[in-house]
């Protein structure tokens, strides 16, 4: 069940603010008396707090009988405050820049409100990983462990360029009208999804026909599926989150910059880049792990590209995540 | 100096035809009495016969004092018969599907006309490599050696999906009007170039700031440069060549399919995939070399991604190509 946490007028790191801001979340299980059994799952691009459900339940990664699991929605994802769901002052094209740091600050306020004293683990896929790093750098005393999957501690220059590409495909549709669309920019949204399809998986995924395992009958079905999925999204929401992603940098507000922020992280980290991820490449994670006090690189061996490790996709990847989770939650 | 070779009504493998077709080409040096000193350089996507000039000249890869160098233009590239330069019957959106095989058949007719009896080497970058393979499979007795650089013998499924993405970005601009544009679809062309920018180079190229070596001041300059370059292209020409590329398969018309066609190639081949190419990945070349009678894999070690080996870009890559050329042209 989703709940809304009211943040009032929420000040952003940019100096702007979100009036009547809401952070929407779901919890599973109960917080223990010490407030110390929390698992935090921050949502990812085009995902919601519900997207982590395949990880939650008896016999799954996180059993609510043992853990107090909090899954939160990114600002801009259409569930928490977003261009498509906002006070008129900031609705649609007027939505201000929201950073990963803003999300994490709001989540911290929520967890404090819920009585959480200690976070045992923050696990996140893709943009969820961006948030896990930001949490660990910003609130080192609170976070025991992080498991960033198919992500990074900042948006790399190449990742930025890839995102400019999907964005340009959407903006090529004049129906978008600088965000003041009257009807959805359907062609632009479909183009966005079509461009994205080339980036989401690895070359091997297509070469070996692995798409069949994910329910796609053909290469064309993959393309059509991604086009159709993105046609359903709100264009301003997509662009708001895309900006959040592009600006992501754990060191942005740290006096010691990126290295300083990474060095402050005391949480134990198992860093799981997808071994064939095209835009959060393993090589970036290798560099980042070296900056951590207690980090271990454990590539998620998979030909699913970036999609490796997305909740509910395939057991081969979930099994690798499971053993990392078990290790991080062992006392 | 460019010359036009008239093909008359040129029948295509699809059964369609190009009326008043012209294959435009440039030659450097003189054909020897035996007709046996020809080097063929087939053009690549958004390139022309002139794009190979950095390879031609005294002290360069191919010295016209020694070789009869023929550089040819792909149908659809705006120089040979193309949507933007065609008989009214096939101009613009009416341009029929032209395959790599059609290009090679036309080039074979040209070389026969010029008196060429033996091709010492076909060297081609990117789509030039697609043509080199097709030549060697279709006319094995004529071709001594091939040097496919940053290419392949067919368009892989992932490569196809990447191309669907750049195409979708262009088509999202309604100014395109199904190819019947009155003014150029500027936003679509710029989006095409912006999407392409993410694919052209490697992740490391951006991480290490290697773009500065290529004259780009910043990541944004790379994006703007690619957008501006593609804004100058004719949209129907871009799509005609893109289709040629997507349909490329050396085994398409061979009774033994891909393996059969590759096995027929008698030419000595040095296969040079770019070691960080995102859409003609080295792994594909590794598989293809194994199918050749006399092929050697020699990756072009570079962080330029697909752009590695494009004529005139950087000496580090040209040096690797030079030693392969020298080896292939040694008697």
């Amino acid at each position: 069940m989703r709940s809304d946490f009211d943040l009032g007028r929420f000040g952003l790191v940019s100096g702007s603010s979100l009036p009547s801001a809401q952070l929407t979340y779901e919890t599973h299980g109960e917080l223990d008396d010490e407030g110390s059994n929390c698992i935090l799952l921050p949502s990812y691009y085009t995902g919601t707090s519900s997207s982590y459900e395949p990880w939650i339940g008896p016999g799954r990664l996180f059993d609510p009988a043992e853990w107090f699991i909090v899954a939160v929605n990114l600002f801009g994802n259409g569930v928490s405050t977003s261009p498509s769901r906002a006070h008129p002052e900031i609705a649609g094209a007027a939505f201000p820049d929201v950073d990963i740091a803003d999300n994490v600050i709001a989540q911290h306020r929520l967890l404090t409100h819920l009585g959480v004293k200690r976070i045992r683990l923050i696990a996140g896929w893709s943009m969820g990983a961006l948030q896990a790093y930001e949490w660990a750098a910003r609130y080192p005393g609170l976070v025991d462990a992080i498991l960033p999957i198919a992500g990074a501690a900042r948006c790399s220059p190449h990742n930025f360029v890839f995102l400019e590409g999907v964005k340009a495909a959407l903006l090529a549709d004049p129906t978008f009208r600088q965000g003041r669309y009257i009807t959805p920019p359907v062609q632009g949204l479909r183009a966005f999804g079509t461009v994205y399809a080339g980036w989401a998986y690895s070359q091997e995924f297509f070469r070996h026909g692995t798409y069949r395992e994910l329910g796609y009958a053909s290469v064309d079905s993959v393309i059509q599926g991604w086009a159709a999925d993105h046609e359903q999204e709100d264009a301003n929401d997509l662009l708001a989150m895309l900006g959040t992603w592009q600006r992501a940098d754990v060191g942005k507000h740290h006096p010691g910059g990126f290295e300083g922020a990474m060095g402050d992280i005391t949480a134990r980290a198992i860093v799981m880049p997808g071994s064939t991820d095209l835009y959060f490449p393993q090589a970036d994670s290798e560099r980042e792990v070296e900056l951590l006090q207690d980090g271990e690189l454990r590539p998620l061996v998979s030909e699913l590209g970036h999609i490796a490790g997305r909740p509910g996709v395939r057991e081969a990847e979930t099994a690798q995540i499971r053993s990392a989770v078990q290790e991080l939650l062992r006392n």
Side-chain angles (χ1 to χ4, degrees), chain A residues 154-221:
Chain A
R154 62 178 164 189
C155 179
S156 77
H158 174 263
N159 196 324
F160 181 93
V161 176
F162 139 64
L163 291 170
E164 283 298 296
V166 289
K167 184 166 84 178
L170 171 52
L171 300 187
D173 182 348
T175 315
F176 177 67
R177 298 179 76 241
Q178 285 84 46
R180 290 173 180 79
Y181 38 89
I182 295 147
T183 55
V186 170
Q187 284 315 308
L189 290 165
R190 291 185 62 85
F192 185 106
T194 303
V195 175
Y196 216 121
W199 288 107
Y201 307 100
S202 73
Q203 297 93 344
E204 293 81 1
F205 172 83
F206 289 103
R207 186 188 300 122
H208 298 149
T210 313
Y211 46 83
R212 291 187 200 97
E213 268 187 66
L214 305 196
Y216 296 109
S218 65
V219 169
D220 193 56
S221 307

Side-chain angles (χ1 to χ4, degrees), chain A residues 44 51 54-55 309-315 318:
Chain A
Y44 50 82
S51 306
W55 283 2
R310 189 163 78 176
V313 169
R314 202 168 67 164
E315 176 55 24
T318 307

Side-chain angles (χ1 to χ4, degrees), chain A residues 258-273:
Chain A
F258 186 71
E259 285 71 18
M262 292 295 276
D264 279 356
I265 294 177
T266 52
R268 162 113 180 97
I270 295 182
V271 176
M272 293 197 110

Side-chain angles (χ1 to χ4, degrees), chain A residues 8-42:
Chain A
R9 180 170 285 272
F10 181 68
L12 300 168
V13 292
S14 69
S16 188
S17 66
L18 301 177
S20 311
Q22 289 190 319
L23 177 63
T24 305
Y25 66 101
E26 298 176 57
T27 66
H28 305 259
E30 310 236 326
L31 187 65
D32 64 16
D33 293 343
E34 295 76 33
S36 69
N37 67 333
C38 178
I39 307 280
L40 179 66
L41 305 174

Side-chain angles (χ1 to χ4, degrees), chain A residues 17-90:
Chain A
S17 66
L18 301 177
S20 311
Q22 289 190 319
L23 177 63
T24 305
Y25 66 101
E26 298 176 57
T27 66
H28 305 259
E30 310 236 326
L31 187 65
D32 64 16
D33 293 343
E34 295 76 33
S36 69
N37 67 333
C38 178
I39 307 280
L40 179 66
L41 305 174
S43 78
Y44 50 82
Y45 201 67
T46 71
T48 68
S49 53
S50 308
S51 306
Y52 283 113
E53 278 172 11
W55 283 2
I56 301 167
R60 296 186 178 170
L61 295 190
F62 305 108
D63 187 343
E66 187 169 8
W67 306 106
F68 178 60
I69 304 147
V70 184
V72 287
N73 290 279
L74 259 180
F75 289 125
N77 81 339
V79 181
S80 285
T81 294
S82 299
S84 68
R85 184 175 179 277
H87 186 281
E89 186 188 311
I90 55 160

